[in-house]
Amino acid sequence: LAKTTQPISMDSYEGQEVNITCSHNNIATNDYITWYQQFPSQGPRFIIQGYKTKVTNEVASLFIPADRKSSTLSLPRVSLSDTAVYYCLVVLPTGNQFYFGTGTSLTVIP
Amino acid sequence: DTAVSQTPKYLVTQMGNDKSIKCEQNLGHDTMYWYKQDSKKFLKIMFSYNNKELIINETVPNRFSPKSPDKAHLNLHINSLELGDSAVYFCASSLSGGYYEQYFGPGTRLTVT
């Protein structure tokens, strides 16, 4: 089961781009990298998922280098409402086993 | 319409009691999950279940048991509650295959006194 390592916390000012890096050295060939966001007193919410290179949606971008041992979630021009915990996880293709790490607590400062 | 719902939202009970948490999803998903989030916000999967297979995290005590009356429901029954069971429990659902995003419920905060 591939585990992930993320910074425990980050602070950013409103309007800045925020990059959160996740390490997953033991990622397997068929694993996908997925990011979730969790607000206080709510369940996690899917943000983005990718396998390699770059994926972009209306909320974020996900950058994955060729060796896939790390990934970076990029949030453009964050606002106060982006204050949340962000989890990186590696999704196994079988067994439905998901490992949520400790997450990164992002605080956006006015 | 709420995609994944859980009841109750809060549950306060005494040690030794037996309690259940209910979960329902209306997304047509075939796989459901239970997670436990402790006071340090560490989110840990307890079970995943679909029509074919129940996968149990080996660290989960056998006092915890999932019960699924149908594809849209996965309830969590807990016997002989202990203080360490206090946490927030999240239900989630997805399509099977592992790659699909999971949809989480709002959580049930369980407090054992």
Side-chain angles (χ1 to χ4, degrees):
Chain A
L1 191 64
K3 293 193 175 181
T4 61
T5 302
Q6 307 173 232
I8 294 175
S9 64
M10 295 179 68
D11 294 337
S12 176
Y13 288 101
E14 270 191 296
Q16 290 189 332
E17 178 184 74
V18 171
N19 295 310
I20 306 175
T21 298
C22 177
S23 172
H24 28 79
N25 291 319
N26 296 325
I27 190 169
T29 302
N30 294 328
D31 289 343
Y32 275 64
I33 299 155
T34 309
W35 286 80
Y36 282 79
Q37 174 192 56
Q38 186 178 24
F39 296 114
S41 302
Q42 294 186 25
R45 183 174 69 114
F46 174 88
I47 302 176
I48 197 167
Q49 180 173 268
Y51 182 79
K52 62 180 179 180
T53 62
K54 178 183 175 182
V55 179
T56 298
N57 62 22
E58 64 277 6
V59 176
S61 294
L62 177 60
F63 298 93
I64 305 169
D67 66 7
R68 305 201 324 123
K69 293 184 181 299
S70 67
S71 59
T72 300
L73 174 72
S74 181
L75 304 173
R77 299 179 298 282
V78 294
S79 64
L80 296 177
S81 62
D82 292 318
T83 294
V85 177
Y86 292 82
Y87 292 95
C88 163
L89 62 154
V90 171
V91 179
L92 294 172
T94 60
N96 293 321
Q97 291 288 313
F98 297 91
Y99 177 80
F100 281 79
T102 54
T104 298
S105 179
L106 172 66
T107 302
V108 180
I109 305 166
Chain B
D1 287 340
T2 302
V4 182
S5 60
Q6 297 178 228
T7 54
K9 187 169 178 62
Y10 300 97
L11 182 55
V12 180
T13 187
Q14 293 182 331
M15 287 176 58
N17 285 346
D18 302 339
K19 291 293 181 184
S20 291
I21 306 172
K22 296 184 177 181
C23 177
E24 176 181 2
Q25 55 94 6
N26 61 7
L27 299 168
H29 290 162
D30 57 3
T31 304
M32 298 183 72
Y33 313 81
W34 278 105
Y35 287 85
K36 177 181 180 181
Q37 187 166 46
D38 60 24
S39 58
K40 296 182 178 179
K41 305 300 183 184
F42 186 64
L43 193 62
K44 181 179 178 181
I45 190 167
M46 302 175 70
F47 306 99
S48 67
Y49 180 81
N50 61 23
N51 286 337
K52 302 176 184 177
E53 193 175 19
L54 170 66
I55 298 175
I56 303 171
N57 186 319
E58 65 273 11
T59 65
V60 175
N62 57 16
R63 299 183 292 105
F64 292 78
S65 57
K67 299 184 188 302
S68 180
D70 54 58
K71 284 179 62 175
H73 297 82
L74 183 66
N75 303 325
L76 181 65
H77 189 75
I78 315 169
N79 290 327
S80 303
L81 278 156
E82 301 177 357
L83 293 176
D85 298 331
S86 294
V88 180
Y89 292 85
F90 288 100
C91 174
S93 72
S94 75
L95 294 173
S96 59
Y99 296 117
Y100 297 100
E101 63 185 275
Q102 296 185 40
Y103 290 78
F104 282 78
T108 296
R109 182 174 294 278
L110 171 66
T111 303
V112 182
T113 61

